[in-house]
Amino acid sequence: MEIKREQWGSRLGFILAAAGSAVGLGNIWKFPYLVGENGGAAFIVLYLICIVLVGLPVVIAEILIGRTAQKNPVGSFRELSKGNPFWIAVGGLGVITGFLILSYYNVIAGWSLGYVIESIKGSFRQFNDPESAGQLFNSLSSQPYWTLTFHAAFMILTVAIIYAGVTKGIERASKFMMPMLLFLIIVLVIRGITLNGAGEGVRYLLKADFSAISGKTFMIALGQAFFSLSLGMGALLTYGSYMSKNENIPNSALSIVFLDTLIAILAGFMIFPAVFAMGLKPAQGPSLIFNVLPVMFNAIPGGYIFRIVFFLLLSMAALTSTISLLEVITTFVVDEFNFSRKKVSVILGGIVFLIGVPSAMSFCGWQKFTIFGLTCFGLVDFISANIFLPLGGIFIALFVGWFWGTRKALPYLLEGTKNFPGVITAT
Ligand code: PFF
């Protein structure tokens, strides 16, 4: 017996849930450190080009596949390709990528949750320089007990929301968390750019030096565009499968892409002016925000409270992303094997936690264990974000544009749109 598929309660609910998936550690934690490591403004320009030329069309294509087939990634490709094994495997690649990303993403999400507790304990209060914050970061992240506890705690939170379902869990959580996050980031941007000596940081973000750009930088920018938009692994496809046929896909896609890009750029303006004001080097790698922000709050009235709220919101931003990752793999198992959603979410959460343990240990004891010069964490990140996601994106584009064909796909895209500029309806 087929159970009726859940649908989003409202258009806004879908947009906020999808934007919630897109906006996460990728925007606030990863984007700033990639900008810092890859030449500042020039990297941002390259990133924006990737977002507009590649990201937006693939977002539309991915939502379209999901909404038309109303299934998980594997089921959707199977249905629309009429059982072609190659395209089914593309859906399968998405599910595997979901496993991999969630396994290491959840470790960083766990750090931000751990920082909520540290902030409540007042651990950063006496810090005047990022070096001391950096020392605390190193000492915390190098303790297996600390890292694994929060890795587990975060997975439990993620499972709890998926357990509750689409409208009761995902939609409700996103509607509440997204607006709060935007507000707090704006407060921090204002504080950052008004710090003494912040001007250099603002210039760093605005003055593009294209000599820093190479083929590798381009790959990193493209990988980040996919990662940040949650693209290429069926997350938006899965969310699209809960979307009604009366909704306008291109408009929703534009809102999602706009919100995601806005928050990444704002995160840059939140961090870099402060980095320069404190005399730091921009290329700090993954610990950047954990070193800079705790100290920055000491320069704000009410900093103690703001710091707690910030790390809480960072955790929430991560949570709206981890739930989308777990949702992809959960829907896959629920749709394909007809198991109960509740049981599946708990079991998969446990498996992903275990797969994530080597990534977590990359910071606490297993630093020296490397493959191709990368730690377990670095390797899983590289393979999934820089190879699997763009690959998935290329296949999604080929599927809609070539295999399914724009002529056949277009009527489905037009469902829910009153007028879509530049379209000549095929007859
Ligand atoms: N887009 C999320 C971020 O920027 O933090 C990460 C992510 C979520 C990637 C979901 C992929 C995905 F399917």
Side-chain angles (χ1 to χ4, degrees), residues 20-28 98 101 105 224 226-231 233-236 260 317-318 320-322 324-325 328 389:
S21 166
V23 174
L25 297 170
N27 307 59
I28 302 169
I101 295 186
Y105 192 91
Q224 173 62 10
F226 275 92
F227 185 83
S228 189
L229 290 172
S230 301
L231 211 52
M233 53 146 284
L236 293 179
D260 186 60
T320 48
S321 300
T322 53
S324 71
L325 288 157
V328 171
L389 290 185

Side-chain angles (χ1 to χ4, degrees), residues 173-220:
S174 309
K175 264 185 167 167
F176 165 70
M177 297 190 274
M178 290 296 293
M180 282 211 346
L181 179 70
L182 187 60
F183 170 74
L184 202 74
I185 291 183
I186 292 174
V187 171
L188 286 174
V189 169
I190 295 173
R191 175 66 277 206
I193 55 181
T194 49
L195 283 171
N196 251 345
E200 207 184 322
V202 175
R203 275 191 293 283
Y204 178 78
L205 288 171
L206 295 179
K207 209 167 126 249
D209 168 15
F210 286 98
S211 64
I213 299 295
S214 64
K216 183 164 167 243
T217 332
F218 176 73
M219 283 301 292
I220 296 176

Side-chain angles (χ1 to χ4, degrees), residues 382-402:
F382 180 78
I383 294 180
S384 48
N386 292 45
I387 299 181
F388 286 177
L389 290 185
L391 203 62
I394 292 169
F395 287 138
I396 287 166
L398 282 176
F399 180 80
V400 173
W402 169 71

Side-chain angles (χ1 to χ4, degrees), residues 40-278:
F43 181 82
I44 299 184
V45 173
L46 204 60
Y47 174 77
L48 292 177
I49 294 174
C50 293
I51 289 283
V52 174
L53 293 186
V54 187
L56 181 62
V58 183
V59 169
I60 295 177
E62 198 171 317
I63 299 177
L64 176 63
I65 295 175
R67 189 186 62 177
T68 308
Q70 309 261 307
K71 295 216 162 50
N72 71 88
V74 171
S76 293
F77 276 106
R78 182 190 303 113
E79 175 150 326
L80 296 180
S81 74
K82 306 213 167 49
N84 181 316
F86 176 80
W87 294 111
I88 296 176
V90 169
L93 177 71
V95 175
I96 293 170
T97 312
F99 262 105
L100 293 178
I101 295 186
L102 182 55
S103 75
Y104 76 87
Y105 192 91
N106 195 70
V107 174
I108 313 292
W111 287 351
S112 54
L113 192 62
Y115 262 53
V116 174
I117 309 293
E118 289 304 313
S119 305
I120 294 173
K121 281 177 17 198
S123 307
F124 309 102
R125 266 183 156 167
Q126 66 289 11
F127 292 166
N128 299 320
D129 62 287
E131 262 98 78
S132 354
Q135 273 161 15
L136 180 67
F137 174 78
N138 290 339
S139 91
L140 289 172
S141 63
S142 63
Q143 292 166 28
Y145 172 74
W146 189 79
T147 298
L148 291 177
T149 303
F150 286 106
H151 175 40
F154 211 88
M155 191 54 80
I156 292 171
L157 288 177
T158 306
V159 168
I161 295 184
I162 295 304
Y163 191 94
V166 176
T167 38
K168 285 212 196 79
I170 303 176
E171 186 167 351
R172 204 190 274 168
S174 309
K175 264 185 167 167
F176 165 70
M177 297 190 274
M178 290 296 293
M180 282 211 346
L181 179 70
L182 187 60
F183 170 74
L184 202 74
I185 291 183
I186 292 174
V187 171
L188 286 174
V189 169
I190 295 173
R191 175 66 277 206
I193 55 181
T194 49
L195 283 171
N196 251 345
E200 207 184 322
V202 175
R203 275 191 293 283
Y204 178 78
L205 288 171
L206 295 179
K207 209 167 126 249
D209 168 15
F210 286 98
S211 64
I213 299 295
S214 64
K216 183 164 167 243
T217 332
F218 176 73
M219 283 301 292
I220 296 176
L222 187 65
Q224 173 62 10
F226 275 92
F227 185 83
S228 189
L229 290 172
S230 301
L231 211 52
M233 53 146 284
L236 293 179
L237 185 158
T238 304
Y239 277 16
S241 77
Y242 305 123
M243 190 184 193
S244 125
K245 308 250 171 193
N246 305 325
E247 305 290 356
N248 184 325
I249 295 182
N251 275 353
S252 306
L254 260 179
S255 314
I256 296 164
V257 171
F258 173 76
L259 272 173
D260 186 60
T261 311
L262 176 75
I263 294 197
I265 302 284
L266 284 177
F269 279 93
M270 168 174 87
I271 310 271
F272 284 105
V275 165
F276 282 85
M278 293 178 195

